[in-house]
Amino acid sequence: MTEQHDQTGLIDRQIMWNRLISVVEEQAMTLQRTAFSSIVRESGDLSAGVFDLAGRMLAQAVTGTPGHVNSMALAVGHMLARHPAQTLAPGDVLITNDPWLGTGHTYDFTVVTPFFYRGRLSAFFACTSHIMDIGGVYQFTDSADVFMEGLYIPILKLVEAGRVNRTLMAMIRANTRNPVDTEGDTYSLIACNEVGCRRLERMMDEFGLEDLESLSSHILETSRNAVLTEIRRLPKGTWNHVLTLDGYEAPIHLQASLTVSDRGIHVDFTGSSATVRRNINVPLCYTLAYTCFGLACIVSRNIPNNAGSLAPFTISAPEGSIVNAQKPAPVACRHIVGLMLPDLVFGCLRQTIPERVPAESAGVLWGLNVRGYRSPRQIPGDEFTAGVVTTGGMGALPSRDGLSATGFPSGVRGGSIEIFETQSPVIVWRKEFRRDSGGAGRTRGGLGQTIELENGIDQPFLFNASVERVRFPAKGFAGGRDGAAGRLTLRSGEKLAGKGLHVIPAGDRLLIRSPGGGGLGEPKERNRDAVREDLREGLISPDAAKDIYGLMD
C-alpha cells in the first residue's frame, strides 16, 4: 500500500511539474504578444520562469534565449539579497537592468514579482526582455565604460503594494529615444508575471496545494540527479581548447580547461584574453549562462532546465578577463563573445566524446541595425531607427546537417523583413541562402545568408555593425571543411569592417553575407542523393558538387 501510494505521489508530482512548465510558457507568450520591441515580439529575445522561496529556478519557458534564462536564474537571488522575502508584500514588483546582477547588459530589463497564495508568499515569477533603446551612445562598440551604455537601474521596486513608482517610470521615459516603446515594454513585463501568478493560483487550487515546497524539492533533486547520472557515464579527465575570435582592434583568444568528475563538470577560463576597451566584455553571469547551455546541449539535452539541472555545472574565470569583466567595464555587446562560448565548450568535449559534438557554428547574430532621416530635410524628430535579427549557419552535427540561417546558440529567431521595412525607408532587395557557405562534409554545415539593402530615398543611412566570424570562420572537423567567413561590403566594392558605424551612401547598397557553419567528415563520403538534392536546391554550386563532393553525374 505504501509503495502504491508513493508511486501515485510521484505521478502527481510529475504531472504538476509539467503543468508548471506550461504555466511559464504561457507567461512567456504573454510577454511576446504584448511587447513593443520588435526583437521581442518577432524574434523571441526574452525569458520567463518561476522560482521557489530560496530564489531557485523551478521551471523556464521554452520560448526564450539561454543567455537570458540561465543568467536570470541568478538574478532572483540578487533581488532577494537586496529586498528579503519578509519585506515584500502583495502587489510588489522589482526591476533591474544591472549587467552584473541581471543578464549581462543594460539593454535587458529583468522584472521579479512575488506570488502570494492565500496571503502567504509561495513563489516568484521573473521575466526578461530586450529593450531596443535605453539611451547611451548609438554606436554600440563606442562605449568606454558601462556609464556610457544608457540608463542603469539598480534593484528597485517598480511597483509597491500595487502602486506604480511614477518617479522611476518618468526616469525610464526620459532616458530613451523610444519612450513609448520602452514604457510599453516595461508594462508588458509586469503583465507577463501577473499572468504567471494567475495561472499558478489556478494550478494550486486544482491540485489542492498549500505551498510549492514539496514540488520544488522533487523538481530540483530529480533534475540534479538526472544530470549527475549522465555526467558519470562520461570519461573522466581534463581537456583544453582555445578559440580565436575577430575581436575589435585585435583578435581575442578564449581558453577553457574542462574537467569531468563524478561531482560534475567544471570549466576554467584561465588564459583567456583580458578585458578590452571596447564593449564586447562579458560579465560572469552571462559567461555562466552560455557555458551551461553548451554543456547541457551535449550532456543533458533531454533534462528540463532549472536550478537543479544547472547545479552540476560550475565555472571559474580570472577577474578582469574578457569573460569575467568587472564593473564599470563596457559590456553592451557582451553577446559578441558570450555566444561563442558553446563552441569553446564543444572544442573540449570533442576530444572525449566526438560522436556527440557538432562542428563550429556562425554563433553571433548578424543584426540589421540602421539609422537615418526619413526625408532630405534631416531635421530633429525626422529620424528613424530600425533593427531586425538575421542569422548564419549552424555547424554540422554527427548525424545530420547543421541548420541554415538559424540563431543557434542564442535561440533568437530571424525577424520579419516586412516589419523592418515598415519602420524605415530602407529597402531589402534580396535575402536568400548564401550558396556554398555551409562547410562541406559527410554532414554539411548550415548556410548563411546574402542580404542586400538600400535606402529608398536619396539619402545616406547608417549601419551599425557588430558581428563575428569575418576573419576566423567556423571550423570543420574530421575532414569537414570550414564554413564560409562573413563579409560586409558595398555594392560599389568597398569592404566594411565587421564592427563599427558605417555610412551607406545614397544610391549604393549594403551587401551582407553572413557566415556558414563548419562541416563534419569527408565531403566525398556524403550521401550521393543528399549532394544531388543540395545541388538541385541551389545550396551548393555545380563546381562544389564536382570538385569537393566528387559528384560525377
Side-chain angles (χ1 to χ4, degrees):
M1 186 72 177
T2 302
E3 182 178 346
Q4 183 179 0
H5 177 76
D6 290 345
Q7 187 66 25
T8 301
L10 177 62
I11 293 172
D12 287 344
R13 287 193 293 271
Q14 287 296 125
I15 292 172
M16 287 185 280
W17 186 354
N18 288 336
R19 179 69 172 275
L20 202 57
I21 293 173
S22 72
V23 166
V24 294
E25 186 60 29
E26 184 170 353
Q27 178 195 1
M29 294 308 298
T30 299
L31 179 56
Q32 191 165 13
R33 288 194 300 267
T34 60
F36 282 55
S37 294
S38 59
I39 195 171
V40 178
R41 192 177 61 251
E42 301 297 325
S43 299
D45 197 7
L46 60 91
S47 66
V50 62
F51 296 70
D52 69 8
L53 294 180
R56 299 174 297 183
M57 185 170 68
L58 300 180
Q60 67 147 104
V62 176
T63 301
T65 72
H68 281 154
V69 169
N70 289 347
S71 54
M72 188 183 72
L74 303 175
V76 175
H78 295 311
M79 297 274 198
L80 292 177
R82 194 69 52 86
H83 293 275
Q86 63 269 23
T87 68
L88 298 174
D92 286 353
V93 179
L94 305 176
I95 188 172
T96 190
N97 71 337
D98 185 314
W100 286 268
L101 303 181
T103 61
H105 68 178
T106 55
Y107 285 89
D108 293 336
F109 280 5
T110 298
V111 167
V112 173
T113 304
F115 165 70
F116 288 82
Y117 183 68
R118 297 179 180 175
R120 179 182 177 187
L121 182 61
S122 299
F124 297 93
F125 281 92
C127 57
T128 299
S129 71
H130 184 96
I131 305 299
M132 288 300 295
D133 186 277
I134 196 59
V137 296
Y138 173 70
Q139 185 174 339
F140 295 155
T141 49
D142 259 6
S143 55
D145 60 35
V146 74
F147 303 112
M148 296 176 68
E149 295 177 349
L151 178 65
Y152 191 119
I153 305 173
I155 296 173
L156 296 172
K157 283 190 177 180
L158 176 62
V159 183
E160 187 165 10
R163 299 182 64 180
V164 174
N165 185 335
R166 299 296 177 187
T167 301
L168 178 54
M169 275 295 192
M171 290 293 293
I172 291 173
R173 286 195 303 271
N175 283 275
T176 172
R177 300 174 184 89
N178 301 323
V180 174
D181 289 5
T182 301
E183 183 176 15
D185 282 332
T186 304
Y187 279 112
S188 77
L189 288 159
I190 297 172
C192 160
N193 284 350
E194 286 181 353
V195 167
C197 290
R198 289 200 296 267
R199 295 298 178 264
L200 181 56
E201 180 179 25
R202 184 180 301 175
M203 169 188 158
M204 293 178 71
D205 285 343
E206 180 179 336
F207 288 98
L209 297 175
E210 294 296 325
D211 55 53
L212 296 179
E213 293 178 12
S214 177
L215 180 59
S216 171
S217 297
H218 170 72
I219 290 172
L220 300 180
E221 182 179 352
T222 301
S223 300
R224 180 177 179 275
N225 289 338
V227 174
L228 285 173
T229 296
E230 295 299 322
I231 291 173
R232 287 165 183 160
R233 294 186 176 125
L234 300 175
K236 306 304 182 290
T238 299
W239 294 270
N240 301 284
H241 189 63
V242 176
L243 189 65
T244 302
L245 308 181
D246 300 346
Y248 199 95
E249 292 151 334
I252 289 168
H253 302 285
L254 301 180
Q255 183 167 329
S257 176
L258 184 150
T259 300
V260 179
S261 69
D262 286 337
R263 299 185 303 276
I265 298 179
H266 182 76
V267 181
D268 179 66
F269 293 95
T270 299
S272 295
S273 293
T275 301
V276 297
R277 70 185 187 91
R278 302 285 185 169
N279 61 14
I280 55 178
N281 304 296
V282 189
L284 194 63
C285 61
Y286 200 74
T287 297
L288 177 64
Y290 272 105
T291 302
C292 288
F293 176 71
L295 292 170
C297 283
I298 306 303
V299 177
S300 54
R301 61 182 181 179
N302 295 319
I303 299 170
N305 197 52
N306 53 58
S309 60
L310 293 172
F313 303 139
T314 58
I315 68 169
S316 57
E319 290 187 359
S321 65
I322 198 166
V323 290
N324 188 5
Q326 302 295 295
K327 186 179 177 180
V331 294
C333 289
R334 90 294 196 221
H335 61 284
I336 295 294
V337 172
L339 288 174
M340 309 307 291
L341 293 173
D343 271 341
L344 182 63
V345 169
F346 295 163
C348 295
L349 293 174
R350 188 177 293 111
Q351 300 168 53
T352 177
I353 46 173
E355 69 280 1
R356 298 196 199 180
V357 181
E360 291 182 359
S361 298
V364 174
L365 301 170
W366 281 53
L368 305 185
N369 300 296
V370 299
R371 186 183 186 189
Y373 290 91
R374 296 183 183 277
S375 74
R377 296 177 299 169
Q378 296 191 8
I379 60 175
D382 201 28
E383 304 98 335
F384 68 83
T385 300
V388 66
V389 172
T390 62
T391 53
M394 181 182 178
L397 290 86
S399 59
R400 61 180 173 85
D401 295 341
L403 298 175
S404 296
T406 185
F408 181 85
S410 74
V412 175
R413 298 191 298 274
S416 166
I417 290 302
E418 289 76 15
I419 290 178
F420 170 76
E421 290 182 323
T422 67
Q423 298 172 332
S424 76
V426 175
I427 299 169
V428 179
W429 289 106
R430 181 162 55 124
K431 186 174 187 290
E432 61 192 22
F433 283 145
R434 183 184 174 192
R435 190 167 66 170
D436 288 336
S437 60
R442 184 178 60 254
T443 52
R444 176 182 43 73
L447 277 66
Q449 302 178 70
T450 297
I451 306 169
E452 188 171 349
L453 299 88
E454 181 183 16
N455 205 343
I457 60 176
D458 188 26
Q459 290 289 310
F461 70 95
L462 300 177
F463 171 65
N464 209 341
S466 186
V467 298
E468 266 288 336
R469 296 292 196 195
V470 174
R471 296 179 59 192
F472 299 96
K475 291 182 180 178
F477 292 92
R481 303 286 184 90
D482 294 350
R487 291 183 65 197
L488 295 174
T489 63
L490 297 180
R491 184 176 58 175
S492 57
E494 181 183 348
K495 184 178 179 181
L496 305 178
K499 298 179 181 68
L501 190 63
H502 303 298
V503 178
I504 312 303
D508 209 341
R509 292 185 182 180
L510 171 65
L511 292 176
I512 296 172
R513 298 174 178 89
S514 65
L520 267 183
E522 292 292 341
K524 291 183 179 178
E525 295 177 2
R526 183 168 175 78
N527 179 279
R528 299 294 89 182
D529 288 339
V531 177
R532 294 185 185 97
E533 179 67 14
D534 285 351
L535 183 60
R536 190 162 45 246
E537 294 292 329
L539 306 182
I540 62 173
S541 63
D543 286 347
K546 178 181 177 182
D547 299 336
I548 299 176
Y549 288 100
L551 186 67
M552 305 308 294
D553 56 358

